[in-house]
Amino acid sequence: MSAVSAVAKKILPLFDRVLIQRSAAETKTKGGLLIPEKAQTKVKEGVVVAVGPGARAESGSFIPMSVSVGDKVLLPDFGGGKLEVEGEEFQIFRETDIVAKLD
């Protein structure tokens, strides 16, 4: 997690953007069989690494974010911008693109 915290210090998303690191895909079945890379499904869960200050209201004040650093979230199938920093892969989403917050 130290690499993630170092990246979070380097990248600060603007407005309602959220920097997320996707969870790793399953490489083995419960029975111990290896799953080929082509057959692995895209993981729809991730951890919030950094958040922006929030969207701007018409009055100029910030609308607070509903997610915070460390939250587990459910992501859409498509969307978000890919970003690679120091060998780690991250994605940037708008807060409104995030499907759900997981417990």
Side-chain angles (χ1 to χ4, degrees):
M1 209 60 178
S2 63
V4 173
S5 62
V7 170
K9 290 179 183 177
K10 290 183 179 181
I11 300 173
L12 181 63
L14 298 175
F15 300 110
D16 64 339
R17 304 284 200 289
V18 181
L19 184 67
I20 296 175
Q21 184 173 33
R22 282 192 186 259
S23 301
E26 291 292 324
T27 58
K28 281 188 178 182
T29 64
K30 291 179 182 177
L33 298 173
L34 293 175
I35 301 172
E37 228 177 277
K38 295 261 183 191
Q40 292 175 7
T41 57
K42 193 174 188 180
V43 178
K44 296 180 184 178
E45 292 180 14
V47 177
V48 177
V49 177
V51 295
R56 290 256 185 180
E58 287 184 24
S59 64
S61 62
F62 285 107
I63 300 170
M65 300 286 277
S66 59
V67 294
S68 59
V69 175
D71 287 346
K72 286 183 75 173
V73 292
L74 187 64
L75 303 170
D77 289 331
F78 302 101
K82 287 187 180 181
L83 183 67
E84 190 170 326
V85 179
E86 297 177 3
E88 296 285 328
E89 191 172 303
F90 300 95
Q91 287 193 306
I92 294 183
F93 287 92
R94 285 188 176 268
E95 182 187 24
T96 55
D97 292 340
I98 295 173
V99 177
K101 190 169 158 180
L102 304 173
D103 287 335

